[in-house]
Amino acid sequence: MLRINEVKLPLDHSEEELKQALLKRLAISASDLIRFSIFKRSYDARKRAAILLIYSLDAEVKQEATVLKRLSSDRHIMLTPNIEYQYVASAPDGLTDRPVVIGTGPCGLFAGLLLAQMGFKPIILERGKAVRERTKDTWGLWRKGELNPESNVQYGEGGAGTFSDGKLYSQIKDPKHLGHKVLQEFVKAGAPDEIMYVSKPHIGTFRLVSMVESMRANIIELGGEVRFSSKVEQLILNNGQVEGVELANGEKIPSKHVVLAIGHSARDTFYKLFEQGVYMEAKPFSLGFRVEHPQTMIDSARFGPSAGHPILGAADYKLVHHASNGRSVYSFCMCPGGTVVAAASEPGRVVTNGMSQYSRNERNANAAIVVGITPEIDFPGHPLAGIELQRKWESKAFEVGGSTYQAPAQKLGDFLAGKPSTEFGVVVPSYTPGVHLTDLSDCLPEYAITAIREAMPAFDKQIKGFGMADALFTGVETRTSSPVRIKRDNDSLQSINTKGLFPAGEGAGYAGGILSAGVDGIKIAEAVALSILHELKVAD
């Protein structure tokens, strides 16, 4: 099989034109082509009047070695690499020490799934509810302003990524192609085949719900166990070695291999782990607002006359500005054709996030516009100081929004002018349970407000109309990533001071998004399996 990269065609090409372009690149006749498939498809929209689709193709041809030798000078043609996943271990018969996985976000699900596929029969514990019950609780906040602190956007089966755009791409280094395994498992669970080849795949919340259920059923079928409403109160430790976990109801589950995939919002768990002596340190994260624009405006600015084309779909963007006060301002978690959602997990606080369905056909585009902050400058001292900083601004947003879980909001033009908003313009807010128009200048640190005010006109130069006066800011966005890193050994992937504890995923500071969290879950599952086998070998 040959891999042919950089095959470029106009946006409205036919399947036959794609085949002919492949034949031309290989300089072979149709009779010499056995079959071909699309490995990746992206687009180049730098020339809006002539947008190109860019393909990587896999082709089976006659006399492959001869063709490859003849085209050896073309760096875009090579043998198709083998990226199929290979399991690192399998569980021995009679294994009694079952690994425990805490959390059922993408990281915990994939750690549990891989351990189950290797025969280790994991016990998976989730403080929240199963995904459909959890969805009902989440709607309770969105529709009624009623927050369930143990079942919400942050807690429950599927993790925070369930109520998001379902983005399945990442910029992580992935030399073992573990991301391919993640996508394959998602397709098996019901995701569309296209996520295997489009450049920026996404799924959307409704599809993620059924996929998560399918993955859970697979884990159980393979001998694993998944338990909901099972909050881990503390680790059971003996001289720096994990020997199990204790649940909030007092139940103790023995295990010398515990995967900690708790997500970035399990604040009470972070504090308990710190009290128990697990090493952790503060890490950088970002603060900001959600901004909404008409999706049609973003489409037109990005795609010009091709706006609305079904292959391109709703346009996204990625922006960054280095402000004169030394702060970096950037767009984060852009959700085309989506909604701004309430993402609080603690009473008396307001948090925003973004979400899209698979169709991405809502009227507004939204993204977080955030400012990077660091522990050295902005929250020095205690390893958990970042959590307290998040809480401070989430509480302020709750207060400024009217103390009803409505979010404070302000039109962009008024934000730049430094005056409160009193009425909406053309952008109708999508946030539920609703927004309260006000002045957002008190909802973030002064340095963040100053940097964002400087960035918006700069972003308008990159995307025409981005600085429109009627664009709407909604606050606050504080959960861009975990404010904590639970440091682990680079080789064993265990906590650097707690043997048998495997910090994993976004909450531990080692992932950011669904795909990277799934990849980290696979890495952790491999490390747990190899650790178990090593200990059995030593014991023999």
Side-chain angles (χ1 to χ4, degrees):
M1 189 81 74
L2 298 180
R3 171 73 48 80
I4 304 93
N5 296 317
E6 295 292 309
V7 178
K8 299 180 180 181
L9 287 169
L11 187 57
D12 286 310
H13 68 78
S14 66
E15 187 174 345
E16 179 60 25
E17 287 174 311
L18 179 60
K19 178 181 176 180
Q20 291 302 319
L22 173 62
L23 295 174
K24 182 177 180 180
R25 280 288 296 277
L26 296 178
I28 61 174
S29 64
S31 61
D32 289 327
L33 178 64
I34 300 172
R35 66 178 64 88
F36 77 97
S37 61
I38 299 171
F39 176 69
K40 288 294 178 186
R41 186 189 73 201
S42 59
Y43 61 80
D44 181 350
R46 287 175 294 179
K47 296 181 180 179
R48 296 186 304 161
I51 295 176
L52 296 175
L53 293 180
I54 306 173
Y55 291 92
S56 290
L57 304 173
D58 285 328
E60 187 177 349
V61 301
K62 296 177 182 177
Q63 298 182 331
E64 178 184 281
T66 301
V67 173
L68 186 62
K69 183 177 180 179
R70 174 167 50 81
L71 299 172
S72 60
S73 62
D74 189 336
R75 63 186 178 90
H76 295 304
I77 298 176
M78 64 199 73
L79 286 174
T80 299
N82 180 11
I83 60 174
E84 291 304 306
Y85 182 74
Q86 301 294 320
Y87 295 97
V88 300
S90 60
D93 294 335
L95 182 68
T96 58
D97 185 19
R98 298 172 67 183
V100 167
V101 177
I102 306 174
T104 58
C107 183
L109 274 177
F110 272 94
L113 179 63
L114 266 290
L115 286 167
Q117 289 175 344
M118 290 185 285
F120 288 91
K121 300 181 181 180
I123 300 170
I124 305 175
L125 305 172
E126 168 59 53
R127 69 187 293 173
K129 298 181 182 180
V131 66
R132 291 191 187 272
E133 295 177 69
R134 173 199 180 195
T135 300
K136 294 177 183 178
D137 292 332
T138 300
W139 280 105
L141 174 61
W142 294 354
R143 291 176 173 170
K144 302 177 183 179
E146 298 175 354
L147 173 67
N148 183 336
E150 291 297 332
S151 181
N152 47 62
V153 167
Q154 308 296 346
Y155 300 151
E157 185 179 27
T162 304
F163 300 98
S164 71
D165 191 43
K167 299 177 184 68
L168 298 178
Y169 49 93
S170 174
Q171 295 180 330
I172 60 170
K173 294 180 180 179
D174 187 17
K176 295 176 64 177
H177 304 287
L178 300 181
H180 185 73
K181 169 69 169 173
V182 171
L183 297 180
Q184 282 184 322
E185 292 295 342
F186 278 147
V187 170
K188 283 172 56 180
D193 290 341
E194 70 182 37
I195 70 169
M196 298 301 301
Y197 64 84
V198 296
S199 62
K200 294 182 178 180
H202 74 284
I203 301 175
T205 292
F206 289 161
R207 290 194 178 214
L208 276 168
V209 168
S210 60
M211 287 164 52
V212 165
E213 290 179 319
S214 177
M215 293 176 69
R216 182 218 309 165
N218 192 6
I219 291 170
I220 294 171
E221 183 181 359
L222 293 169
E225 181 181 346
V226 183
R227 298 171 57 177
F228 299 106
S229 299
S230 297
K231 180 181 177 181
V232 173
E233 187 66 26
Q234 62 182 354
L235 302 174
I236 301 171
L237 300 174
N238 183 11
N239 293 323
Q241 166 70 57
V242 167
E243 293 193 343
V245 298
E246 182 177 339
L247 304 187
N249 64 5
E251 180 184 356
K252 296 180 179 180
I253 301 175
S255 178
K256 291 188 176 181
H257 300 85
V258 174
V259 176
L260 191 69
I262 56 177
H264 59 38
S265 294
R267 293 166 169 172
D268 51 356
T269 305
F270 288 138
Y271 274 92
K272 177 57 69 173
L273 292 168
F274 182 78
E275 290 173 10
Q276 290 195 276
V278 175
Y279 181 84
M280 59 185 69
E281 57 192 22
K283 64 173 280 295
F285 62 101
S286 300
L287 297 170
F289 304 126
R290 279 272 152 185
V291 67
E292 293 187 89
H293 295 86
Q295 182 63 50
T296 52
M297 184 273 287
I298 301 296
D299 291 344
S300 179
R302 293 279 284 112
F303 297 146
S306 296
H309 194 284
I311 287 183
L312 297 175
D316 63 2
Y317 57 78
K318 186 176 182 180
L319 301 167
V320 63
H321 174 72
H322 299 289
S324 56
N325 67 357
R327 302 286 176 169
S328 291
V329 185
Y330 63 97
S331 61
F332 172 80
C333 186
M334 193 273 157
C335 297
T339 55
V340 179
V341 299
S345 58
E346 295 178 323
R349 298 188 171 99
V350 163
V351 182
T352 64
N353 197 4
M355 176 178 108
S356 297
Q357 299 301 341
Y358 177 72
S359 60
R360 288 179 166 175
N361 62 1
E362 299 295 331
R363 74 179 74 180
N364 292 347
N366 78 80
I369 302 297
V370 294
V371 178
I373 60 176
T374 64
E376 294 80 10
I377 298 174
D378 303 304
F379 48 103
H382 198 280
L384 300 177
I387 292 177
E388 294 310 313
L389 186 65
Q390 289 176 324
R391 283 173 164 166
K392 172 184 176 180
W393 295 111
E394 291 167 13
S395 296
K396 187 65 176 180
F398 182 79
E399 174 190 334
V400 175
S403 301
T404 62
Y405 290 106
Q406 286 195 338
Q410 187 176 18
K411 291 195 296 184
L412 176 56
D414 293 334
F415 174 77
L416 295 178
K419 64 179 183 179
S421 291
T422 57
E423 60 182 3
F424 297 114
V426 298
V427 177
V428 178
S430 61
Y431 180 94
T432 56
V435 304
H436 174 69
L437 286 175
T438 184
D439 184 348
L440 288 174
S441 60
D442 290 332
C443 291
L444 288 179
E446 184 276 332
Y447 59 77
I449 297 294
T450 299
I452 294 172
R453 281 180 173 149
E454 180 183 316
M456 297 309 289
F459 291 161
D460 188 67
K461 293 179 181 179
Q462 299 178 55
I463 297 179
K464 186 178 180 180
F466 199 85
M468 63 184 291
D470 281 355
L472 191 71
F473 272 140
T474 305
V476 289
E477 179 99 3
T478 56
R479 312 282 181 96
T480 55
S481 66
S482 178
V484 170
R485 175 169 287 110
I486 304 175
K487 199 167 183 181
R488 67 193 189 195
D489 177 75
N490 290 333
D491 296 321
S492 71
L493 302 190
Q494 298 181 51
S495 162
I496 61 171
N497 74 334
T498 309
K499 187 178 180 183
L501 182 67
F502 294 80
E506 193 161 349
Y510 290 96
I514 294 173
L515 184 66
S516 62
V519 167
D520 202 55
I522 295 174
K523 291 179 181 178
I524 289 294
E526 292 178 343
V528 169
L530 294 174
S531 176
I532 292 173
L533 294 183
H534 175 72
E535 290 174 15
L536 290 173
K537 184 177 180 181
V538 171
D540 287 343

